[in-house]
Amino acid sequence: MSEISSRKIRNICILAHVDHGKTTLADHLIAAYGGGVLHPKLAGNIRFMDYLDEEQRRAITMKSSSISLHFRDQFINLIDSPGHMDFCSEVSTAARLSDGALILVDAVEGVHIQTHAVLRQSWVEKLTPCLVLNKIDRLITELKLTPMEAYTRLLRIVHEVNGILSAYKSEKYLSDVDALLAGASVDGTGEYDHELIEDDEEDTFQPQKGNVAFVCALDGWGFCIEQFAEFYASKLGASISALTKGFWGPRYFNTKKMMVVGKKAMEGVSRDPQPMFVQFVLKPLWQVYQAALDVDGDKDMLNKVIKTFNLSIPPRELLNKDAKTVLQVVMRRWLPLSDTVLSMVIKSMPDPITAQSIRISRLLPKREFAGDAAGHSSDVIGEAERVRKCVKACDSSSDSPCVVFVSKMFAFPAKMIPQKGPNGEKWSQSLAGEIEGGDSEECFLAFARIFSGNLCLGQKIFVLSALYDPIDVNMSQKHIQEAEIQRLYLMMGQGLKPILNASAGNIVAIQGLGQYILKSATLSSTRNCWPFSSMMFQVAPTLRVAIEPSDPANMGALMRGLRLLNRADPFVEVSVSSRGEHVLAAAGEVHLERCVKDLKERFAKISLEISPPLVSYKETVEGGDAFSFLDSLKISPGGSQCVEKVVANGRCVVRVFVAKLPNALTKVLEENGEVLADIIEGRPVKKTGKLGFVSHGDGDLMAVLRKHMVDSLENELGLTSEKADKERSERYKQLCYSFLQRIWSFGPRQVGPNILLVPDTKAGDIRSSNAEHGVLVHGSPLVSKKLGFLDNLNSDSVLGSENGEQPEETAFLFMESEALKNSIVAGFQLATSAGPLCDEPMWGLAFLVESYIFPANSEVKDQLDQYGIFSGQVMAAVKESCRAAVLQNNPRLAEAMYFCELNTPGDFLKKTYGVLSRRRSRVLREEMHESSPLFAVHAYVPVAESFGFADELIKSTGAAASALLVLSHWEVLDEDPFFVPRTEEEKEEYGDGSSVLHNMARKLIDEVRRRKGLHVEEKVVQHATKQRTRSRKVLGCSAPPAPPVESAVPRLSSSLKAMNEVEKFRTAASSHATLRDDHDRHISRFRRIGSELKAELKETRVSLGVEKSLVERTAQMLKRAQEETFRLETVLLAAKAQVETLSSDSRVSELKVVRLAEYLESLGYMRDRCLISEEVRDEIWSKEVEPQMEDVQELALRRGVSKHFCLVGRSLGCDISGFSFDDISGDEGSDVDATDV
């Protein structure tokens, strides 16, 4: 593929909301220009790119896959991506490798939440978008709109999409202005980098520009307005460019003057003027559809279209009885979908050379270095800059460095790997290096794009992780590996085409990197290359479950399968919890189901046990208004709201005060965790997090972050409002800056949304019980320094300084206090990572910790500290103090919330609200789609209540409603988990509190604590009542009275023997019960056959002539009844053997008699209904029944069950083989009444 010019390549992806027609559109493009891999008649129905079984079953795309198309003289790499929010990571991988994006929007449903997400994804990755309005036919056939109404709807959708992109542009503009104001983009000459601010004069999507297409992917037709402009140019006598501009917007055609005019010029010319798009484009389409589908439609309209446009259609296709099929044939010939879309792609989307020059600031941001670093590594920096220039120019020359980005690794069945090369030669290279463990059936391939140079088989290349730094060689050795390219493939959907080499601008699949890349990486032919920036993912994997094998012996297979799954899925996360559980994190329920299915069927191939979802929560405290936070900073930790603890050896006193951070500041810290991590650890700042995605320029993200933190505080406090008191505002602004200059650490994990503040050196003095003076452990505002809020000049004013000479003992204490700083920070990190409520991370809290240490007395100096290392004691004390401070300040639980977008018909709106109310949802708004029977409902749904939400919605509404869940925010529950009535009103309502049920917050806390194995305060018996002993009467005998206690011991041995006998009896009785069930099943079968035969005989009596087939069938049924009767005897013989072994027990003997009586009754039943003849019955009696009758009669006389036979004899009404039921009917010892039977 190296001979293909980069100017003739287009790399595009299809992005849209779920079920908006991405895969159907891809089918038509593949059928037309995919090299014959798909027949045109199957396009739109087979969904070629969805080749996984789960994709076909669910009818949704779950992965991004690529295929190469050849359109005219252009080479197009098409990537189909999922639309479901659970698979948004696949959208990110597709967008990174593309230069343009086809944004599909359903003309009926309009813009949805996932449409916002893919538009932002294309904006972040700097893709050139084109808009495709799909399902135009539904406006005609389903909504029955007029052309004017349809035009209004299409116009509104285009304006809405443009408004979304305009918002992103404005966001970037404001971010760039912030960077300029912060001095981030001022160069050495004092001039601003004006490239950061781009022009925003016109909308992105304009049909007259040719980047908007109107299509019906299912029927296979589509058009751009330029096509109609070319057709009408000769008829109307106007230029193509003039008609193209006039075919969209408020433009009208004056037929008298034969010119395009505005609406004012049409006054007096037409009573109801219609825009040119309606008059010349939509009306002909409506007429064609109505002529083809309406019963009384003008059938000559299709012939007119065929003749006017000289369409070549076989006559047999026009004779099809299905009007829809005929319409599709005509529309596909008239307005071919594939030609329309691909022509728009070639015209509106850039080639790789042009696109990479636009995207370079996103792919490889420019790095700034200090003077020392630049001086020592000038050669490395120079070569890295040369590599960046080659990527920017998409240089494919032989001497340019090869740079490739791998967006994901995907598993491919090893048996489907081509075994022959591009020239037909057989591959000699083995797959052993690519298959995990050597016995797996999956081979891992890299989904990659070449951004510079050429890639060929056998080439040695370096694999760079995201943390690689070419300047810091020693620290980056573990982030670079050398690999060899084993094979190269051109992806063709579900197939692979081997190639020898590929040049810059192509998308390929690479084999040979499975052992070196986990999810994504940068490949380079030189070490001196910066890794590409990280991809943006719209959501985080929040759904977590614990997974284990059903058989513990398969633990090794599970771990191997989890490793394969973690590599194959770019978004899944596999970890081991503190309890030793293997935790699998996915984006949602559908994503989790697919991961579990892949584990069971592809990677692990074992049976698995899945736990209920592990929901994450946050712990915080109740917060007042915004000003209460700043007021709390002025409170000394020695006050009543302070928690004080003394370490075990008494040498240190820890005082802790906690306050709630403003929500805006918490959000900024949470969204930019990766940027904070780079700043704190001293790494080059990468453009990650929301802040990095908004600012596309090469400015200083640290300065932008500082401004966002300050703005979040000021906006939350309302200090920027014009109505605010200036004096008060200035005072609180000073407090804000003072707060930001005292940041010691973030937590948990050094980057969380909790802050540890440096203690004030002017805090009150403290003395021990021995009147010894304590020394305060001075903190260090390290984070404030690294963020730029504090420089070296004014750091002393924050920290304070101890002037004058200190005694030797005091000086030693100061040295020891310096060593305890890390212990305080470690205790803060431990406390914020596991809160006091249920060991969940803390959220949005500021801690002020004052630690005082005292001199050690003589006893402590003489012996080792029996309480352990002193630093460990301080760490534990700080941790417990922070947790206790949270408990003391009205703790609250915060839960994650989904934003739910529901679409439902009006008839099911009530049921939809019922589902939402059962899930603790909060409805935000409800609106009706324009010209549609659907209602859109927006609500917030707790993540804990979202599991099974989609299934319940489908069952309640009959699949009429659909929902999409997107992680939105964290919300604090207002309920106090430790509520106790305190006020008079509360005591009057709840009493003393003993009868108050746990609220939702307490229930969630107890649920998490129970899952983690923590102590839960709950009553084993909620409402204790007197226990009752229920006696069980067996065979009409009441339970004997309880024996005295003195006789309990001698009775123990006999009881054990009795228990053994009972166990034997239970085993035999169980076997006998099984045989009895078999007998019952046969009896019911006989009765069913008898009823069938009775119906047949009744019909034959009515009919004078009996057909031969009916007679044969009757004979067969009689024969079958005879066979089943003899089979029943085998069952009875087995039952006899079981009964005889237990003849000593009276109940078993009675069962034997009763079973035989039931058998006799069944014989009589079959005889009366002509199921068996008299001869057959007598034969059964003489061979099987009569030999048992003497024993049975004797048992009946002895056990007192003879009346069973009396009743059966009377029901039969005859004697059988000389045996008279009357012989035993008069037994005086019988105690069985007729009602018993």
Side-chain angles (χ1 to χ4, degrees):
M1 292 179 59
S2 59
E3 67 275 2
I4 300 176
S5 173
S6 298
R7 293 289 184 185
K8 295 186 176 182
I9 297 177
R10 297 293 188 276
N11 297 313
I12 64 172
C13 60
I14 306 178
L15 309 178
H17 185 77
V18 63
D19 291 335
H20 276 205
K22 300 178 299 300
T23 306
T24 305
L25 173 63
D27 273 5
H28 286 279
L29 302 182
I30 296 169
Y33 300 103
V37 297
L38 180 63
H39 195 277
K41 290 187 177 181
L42 298 178
N45 299 319
I46 197 172
R47 302 197 339 264
F48 181 78
M49 302 296 278
D50 294 347
Y51 54 84
L52 298 180
D53 294 338
E54 193 71 7
E55 291 180 315
Q56 291 288 338
R57 185 178 70 86
R58 292 181 178 269
I60 60 172
T61 304
M62 295 184 175
K63 61 173 185 343
S64 57
S65 52
S66 174
I67 190 169
S68 298
L69 309 177
H70 188 71
F71 177 67
R72 298 170 185 168
D73 60 340
Q74 302 289 328
F75 193 78
I76 299 174
N77 293 313
L78 175 68
I79 304 178
D80 184 25
S81 64
H84 199 283
M85 183 59 72
D86 284 5
F87 306 100
C88 61
S89 61
E90 299 287 344
V91 178
S92 301
T93 60
R96 172 52 61 92
L97 303 186
S98 305
D99 296 325
L102 293 174
I103 308 296
L104 261 71
V105 178
D106 192 326
V108 174
E109 298 182 3
V111 176
H112 278 259
I113 185 171
Q114 184 66 4
T115 311
H116 288 257
V118 298
L119 283 170
R120 184 174 185 85
Q121 188 78 50
S122 64
W123 165 253
V124 167
E125 292 293 341
K126 289 195 168 184
L127 305 183
T128 302
C130 287
L131 181 63
V132 180
L133 297 177
N134 193 19
K135 304 184 183 181
I136 302 295
D137 61 312
R138 295 181 62 189
L139 303 178
I140 310 173
T141 58
E142 292 184 19
L143 301 186
K144 307 294 184 181
L145 300 183
T146 64
M148 189 63 193
E149 293 172 343
Y151 167 71
T152 304
R153 187 179 189 86
L154 297 175
L155 187 66
R156 181 180 58 82
I157 293 176
V158 173
H159 286 177
E160 188 174 356
V161 175
N162 282 324
I164 296 171
L165 281 180
S166 297
Y168 296 150
K169 292 181 180 180
S170 301
E171 191 177 0
K172 175 193 176 292
Y173 177 85
L174 295 175
S175 176
D176 293 339
V177 170
D178 289 343
L180 293 175
L181 295 177
S185 301
V186 180
D187 56 18
T189 61
E191 296 181 356
Y192 293 109
D193 183 9
H194 293 284
E195 294 181 358
L196 293 177
I197 304 177
E198 61 182 30
D199 190 15
D200 186 22
E201 293 182 352
E202 58 182 15
D203 293 332
T204 303
F205 299 112
Q206 298 182 21
Q208 58 268 29
K209 291 171 55 178
N211 60 358
V212 178
F214 306 88
V215 306
C216 172
L218 186 62
D219 291 345
W221 60 266
F223 65 90
C224 293
I225 60 175
E226 188 177 359
Q227 296 174 244
F228 280 89
E230 293 176 356
F231 171 71
Y232 285 111
S234 58
K235 290 189 175 183
L236 300 179
S239 63
I240 297 178
S241 60
L243 290 179
T244 303
K245 293 179 181 179
F247 273 166
W248 189 256
R251 300 289 186 272
Y252 302 83
F253 188 76
N254 192 329
T255 55
K256 295 181 179 180
K257 299 181 180 180
M258 297 299 290
M259 59 184 301
V260 179
V261 296
K263 188 172 185 179
K264 290 184 178 180
M266 294 297 292
E267 295 179 359
V269 178
S270 175
R271 293 182 179 179
D272 185 19
Q274 293 182 338
M276 295 180 64
F277 185 76
V278 176
Q279 182 179 358
F280 296 104
V281 178
L282 294 185
K283 273 191 174 182
L285 291 176
W286 258 243
Q287 292 172 0
V288 171
Y289 262 81
Q290 292 170 356
L293 301 180
D294 291 352
V295 179
D296 53 349
D298 185 8
K299 303 303 179 183
D300 295 335
M301 176 62 68
L302 295 180
N303 296 327
K304 183 179 180 181
V305 172
I306 294 173
K307 293 180 181 179
T308 302
F309 294 96
N310 195 21
L311 305 180
S312 176
I313 302 177
R316 57 183 178 83
E317 294 187 1
L318 296 175
L319 297 178
N320 197 308
K321 295 182 179 180
D322 187 7
K324 183 69 173 178
T325 304
V326 176
L327 177 64
Q328 289 179 352
V329 170
V330 174
M331 295 300 293
R332 289 180 183 183
R333 296 293 201 285
W334 178 25
L335 303 170
L337 174 64
S338 54
D339 291 353
T340 299
V341 174
L342 294 183
S343 298
M344 179 178 65
V345 167
I346 299 301
K347 177 182 177 181
S348 303
M349 294 188 182
D351 56 78
I353 298 176
T354 306
Q356 289 181 200
S357 62
I358 301 173
R359 302 180 62 201
I360 187 63
S361 61
R362 170 70 185 127
L363 301 174
L364 281 174
K366 195 172 183 179
R367 315 258 178 167
E368 300 292 341
F369 305 97
D372 296 339
H376 290 90
S377 307
S378 58
D379 296 339
V380 175
I381 295 175
E383 186 174 358
E385 187 61 27
R386 174 177 171 269
V387 172
R388 186 176 185 273
K389 291 180 179 178
C390 291
V391 172
K392 182 178 181 179
C394 191
D395 192 353
S396 59
S397 59
S398 58
D399 58 342
S400 61
C402 180
V403 180
V404 181
F405 182 75
V406 177
S407 64
K408 71 169 183 176
M409 301 293 294
F410 65 97
F412 199 80
K415 61 183 179 181
M416 296 181 63
I417 296 290
Q419 301 300 322
K420 294 184 179 181
N423 299 324
E425 71 277 9
K426 190 173 182 179
W427 292 103
S428 59
Q429 199 168 357
S430 175
L431 290 172
E434 280 298 294
I435 300 178
E436 181 79 14
D439 57 351
S440 174
E441 299 179 359
E442 303 292 335
C443 177
F444 283 91
L445 303 178
F447 189 31
R449 170 177 170 174
I450 306 172
F451 284 90
S452 174
N454 295 274
L455 192 66
C456 58
L457 293 181
Q459 181 177 350
K460 298 287 185 179
I461 201 161
F462 294 103
V463 181
L464 314 178
S465 71
L467 300 178
Y468 177 71
D469 187 355
I471 297 178
D472 192 354
V473 181
N474 297 328
M475 294 295 294
S476 300
Q477 285 299 324
K478 59 182 178 180
H479 301 302
I480 183 172
Q481 303 176 77
E482 188 175 6
E484 180 181 352
I485 305 300
Q486 294 183 5
R487 299 182 189 176
L488 280 176
Y489 301 103
L490 190 65
M491 288 178 284
M492 299 297 294
Q494 50 187 302
L496 298 173
K497 180 180 178 181
I499 55 176
L500 295 176
N501 51 45
S503 60
N506 285 289
I507 296 176
V508 295
I510 307 174
Q511 181 182 331
L513 305 176
Q515 299 176 345
Y516 305 98
I517 302 177
L518 179 61
K519 293 183 182 294
S520 64
T522 304
L523 310 181
S524 175
S525 58
T526 174
R527 289 176 175 267
N528 301 325
C529 174
W530 291 102
F532 276 50
S533 61
S534 301
M535 293 179 291
M536 184 196 78
F537 295 111
Q538 301 167 16
V539 296
T542 54
L543 180 56
R544 300 180 301 125
V545 295
I547 190 168
E548 63 181 13
S550 301
D551 185 0
N554 294 328
M555 182 59 71
L558 173 63
M559 297 178 65
R560 182 170 61 253
L562 288 174
R563 287 197 301 269
L564 295 174
L565 177 65
N566 191 31
R567 183 180 301 170
D569 196 309
F571 204 53
V572 75
E573 290 184 1
V574 178
S575 60
V576 179
S577 67
S578 57
R579 300 171 57 192
E581 299 173 319
H582 291 276
V583 178
L584 182 67
E589 286 188 271
V590 180
H591 186 208
L592 178 63
E593 289 176 10
R594 199 200 72 172
C595 291
V596 172
K597 183 179 177 65
D598 288 344
L599 269 179
K600 290 181 178 180
E601 299 180 1
R602 297 180 63 186
F603 301 130
K605 295 184 177 180
I606 58 174
S607 179
L608 299 174
E609 298 293 333
I610 310 298
S611 73
L614 310 178
V615 183
S616 298
Y617 296 93
K618 303 284 188 183
E619 299 183 22
T620 185
V621 298
E622 184 180 18
D625 56 5
F627 291 100
S628 63
F629 163 69
L630 293 180
D631 293 335
S632 63
L633 296 179
K634 299 181 290 184
I635 298 176
S636 172
S640 60
Q641 298 181 351
C642 164
V643 172
E644 181 176 312
K645 285 188 178 295
V646 182
V647 299
N649 62 2
R651 286 198 57 206
C652 181
V653 176
V654 178
R655 291 176 173 176
V656 176
F657 176 79
V658 64
K660 182 77 168 62
L661 286 176
N663 293 331
L665 180 59
T666 302
K667 185 177 180 181
V668 171
L669 296 179
E670 201 168 25
E671 291 178 346
N672 299 282
E674 295 185 14
V675 176
L676 288 172
D678 292 338
I679 294 174
I680 294 172
E681 296 180 10
R683 298 194 302 260
V685 180
K686 300 186 294 293
K687 289 180 180 283
T688 56
K690 184 176 180 180
L691 187 66
F693 297 136
V694 171
S695 180
H696 287 187
D698 299 329
D700 185 7
L701 289 182
M702 189 187 302
V704 179
L705 178 60
R706 284 198 304 269
K707 193 170 191 312
H708 279 205
M709 292 177 66
V710 174
D711 291 344
S712 64
L713 281 176
E714 293 183 351
N715 294 334
E716 185 82 9
L717 299 173
L719 302 181
T720 57
S721 175
E722 298 179 356
K723 300 180 181 180
D725 186 5
K726 292 185 178 180
E727 182 178 353
R728 187 185 184 193
S729 299
E730 289 298 327
R731 185 174 73 254
Y732 279 116
K733 279 186 179 181
Q734 292 298 327
L735 284 175
C736 289
Y737 293 134
S738 149
F739 165 75
L740 295 175
Q741 290 176 349
R742 295 171 57 187
I743 301 177
W744 189 353
S745 176
F746 291 121
R749 297 183 301 276
Q750 306 290 338
V751 292
N754 303 288
I755 296 178
L756 175 62
L757 298 175
V758 174
D760 190 359
T761 56
K762 300 178 182 179
D765 194 6
I766 186 172
R767 293 183 181 273
S768 67
S769 59
N770 299 328
E772 294 177 340
H773 178 72
V775 175
L776 175 66
V777 179
H778 297 286
S780 177
L782 299 176
V783 175
S784 294
K785 286 183 180 180
K786 292 182 178 181
L787 289 176
F789 290 113
L790 195 67
D791 53 21
N792 295 327
L793 296 178
N794 57 2
S795 60
D796 293 338
S797 62
V798 175
L799 290 174
S801 59
E802 298 290 341
N803 298 326
E805 296 183 0
Q806 299 288 345
E808 182 179 356
E809 186 177 4
T810 307
F812 177 76
L813 285 178
F814 275 107
M815 293 175 57
E816 195 173 9
S817 68
E818 291 294 321
L820 292 177
K821 289 182 178 180
N822 291 334
S823 299
I824 295 175
V825 175
F828 164 75
Q829 298 294 337
L830 291 175
T832 53
S833 62
L837 297 180
C838 51
D839 275 5
E840 291 292 317
M842 296 186 188
W843 181 72
L845 300 179
F847 290 90
L848 185 59
V849 179
E850 288 186 0
S851 301
Y852 296 88
I853 61 173
F854 303 94
N857 53 34
S858 57
E859 296 179 359
V860 177
K861 290 182 179 179
D862 294 339
Q863 59 183 355
L864 293 175
D865 196 343
Q866 61 178 336
Y867 301 104
I869 302 174
F870 184 46
S871 60
Q873 298 180 42
V874 174
M875 184 192 308
V878 172
K879 172 189 172 184
E880 296 303 325
S881 299
C882 292
R883 291 164 62 97
V886 172
L887 286 177
Q888 185 173 316
N889 288 269
N890 300 325
R892 292 291 185 268
L893 193 70
E895 61 178 348
M897 302 293 289
Y898 277 132
F899 175 78
C900 176
E901 185 181 59
L902 279 162
N903 289 283
T904 178
D907 297 340
F908 297 96
L909 199 58
K910 182 178 179 180
K911 294 183 178 180
T912 301
Y913 276 113
V915 176
L916 290 174
S917 63
R918 289 191 292 271
R919 301 272 176 170
R920 295 193 293 118
S921 304
R922 187 172 79 253
V923 177
L924 302 178
R925 63 171 180 166
E926 170 199 325
E927 60 182 9
M928 186 176 184
H929 288 296
E930 184 181 352
S931 302
S932 172
L934 296 178
F935 282 82
V937 180
H938 293 172
Y940 284 138
V941 181
V943 173
E945 303 290 341
S946 65
F947 310 113
F949 174 73
D951 294 337
E952 183 181 0
L953 189 66
I954 290 174
K955 292 177 182 178
S956 300
T957 63
S962 61
L964 184 66
L965 300 175
V966 182
L967 187 64
S968 176
H969 64 284
W970 290 90
E971 188 170 293
V972 179
L973 292 174
D974 295 332
E975 301 171 336
D976 184 2
F978 306 106
F979 172 73
V980 176
R982 291 185 176 87
T983 64
E984 293 296 334
E985 292 80 4
E986 292 175 349
K987 290 180 180 179
E988 183 179 352
E989 182 177 357
Y990 300 105
D992 60 351
S994 59
S995 61
V996 178
L997 299 178
H998 287 175
N999 53 28
M1000 182 54 63
R1002 184 62 180 270
K1003 290 178 181 178
L1004 295 176
I1005 291 173
D1006 290 345
E1007 181 181 345
V1008 176
R1009 292 184 68 89
R1010 195 177 293 110
R1011 173 170 56 84
K1012 294 184 176 181
L1014 303 175
H1015 173 67
V1016 179
E1017 295 181 0
E1018 59 181 352
K1019 296 180 181 179
V1020 179
V1021 180
Q1022 294 291 339
H1023 304 287
T1025 57
K1026 184 178 179 180
Q1027 296 291 326
R1028 296 180 178 179
T1029 302
R1030 301 178 62 185
S1031 62
R1032 177 179 296 179
K1033 297 181 180 180
V1034 181
L1035 293 178
C1037 300
S1038 60
V1045 179
E1046 293 78 12
S1047 62
V1049 177
R1051 287 173 40 251
L1052 181 60
S1053 58
S1054 61
S1055 298
L1056 294 175
K1057 294 180 181 178
M1059 290 174 63
N1060 294 333
E1061 296 296 328
V1062 170
E1063 187 65 27
K1064 294 180 181 179
F1065 168 75
R1066 286 177 179 175
T1067 304
S1070 176
S1071 177
H1072 176 63
T1074 303
L1075 295 173
R1076 181 173 180 176
D1077 293 339
D1078 293 338
H1079 174 265
D1080 293 340
R1081 187 168 60 254
H1082 286 292
I1083 289 296
S1084 62
R1085 188 174 183 183
F1086 289 160
R1087 291 176 178 174
R1088 177 175 53 82
I1089 296 174
S1091 61
E1092 294 177 359
L1093 184 58
K1094 185 177 180 179
E1096 295 285 350
L1097 292 174
K1098 185 177 181 180
E1099 292 178 1
T1100 52
R1101 291 193 186 100
V1102 174
S1103 177
L1104 295 177
V1106 181
E1107 296 181 358
K1108 183 179 180 180
S1109 61
L1110 182 59
V1111 175
E1112 293 176 353
R1113 182 179 178 187
T1114 305
Q1116 291 177 359
M1117 294 184 67
L1118 287 172
K1119 184 178 180 181
R1120 184 174 59 181
Q1122 185 177 2
E1123 293 174 354
E1124 293 293 337
T1125 304
F1126 280 105
R1127 186 176 300 127
L1128 178 63
E1129 302 312 312
T1130 306
V1131 178
L1132 286 176
L1133 290 175
K1136 176 184 176 183
Q1138 293 289 339
V1139 173
E1140 288 178 351
T1141 58
L1142 303 170
S1143 59
S1144 60
D1145 189 274
S1146 62
R1147 290 176 300 170
V1148 177
S1149 300
E1150 181 181 355
L1151 286 174
K1152 179 178 180 181
V1153 175
V1154 173
R1155 294 303 300 132
L1156 187 58
E1158 291 176 353
Y1159 175 57
L1160 295 175
E1161 182 181 8
S1162 65
L1163 290 179
Y1165 175 84
M1166 289 185 289
R1167 184 202 62 186
D1168 294 343
R1169 288 154 180 78
C1170 301
L1171 289 178
I1172 57 175
S1173 62
E1174 294 286 340
E1175 293 79 11
V1176 173
R1177 189 203 60 177
D1178 294 339
E1179 182 179 0
I1180 294 173
W1181 177 268
S1182 61
K1183 291 183 179 180
E1184 304 294 339
V1185 181
E1186 192 173 17
Q1188 306 178 42
M1189 291 307 300
E1190 294 180 1
D1191 296 335
V1192 171
Q1193 184 176 6
E1194 181 181 357
L1195 287 171
L1197 293 173
R1198 188 172 65 250
R1199 305 301 181 190
V1201 293
S1202 58
K1203 286 192 177 181
H1204 281 289
F1205 289 93
C1206 298
L1207 295 173
V1208 173
R1210 294 191 185 97
S1211 65
L1212 294 176
C1214 63
D1215 298 337
I1216 303 177
S1217 299
F1219 183 84
S1220 177
F1221 289 96
D1222 295 333
D1223 295 340
I1224 60 174
S1225 62
D1227 182 40
E1228 297 179 356
S1230 175
D1231 59 349
V1232 180
D1233 194 79
T1235 56
D1236 295 335
V1237 181

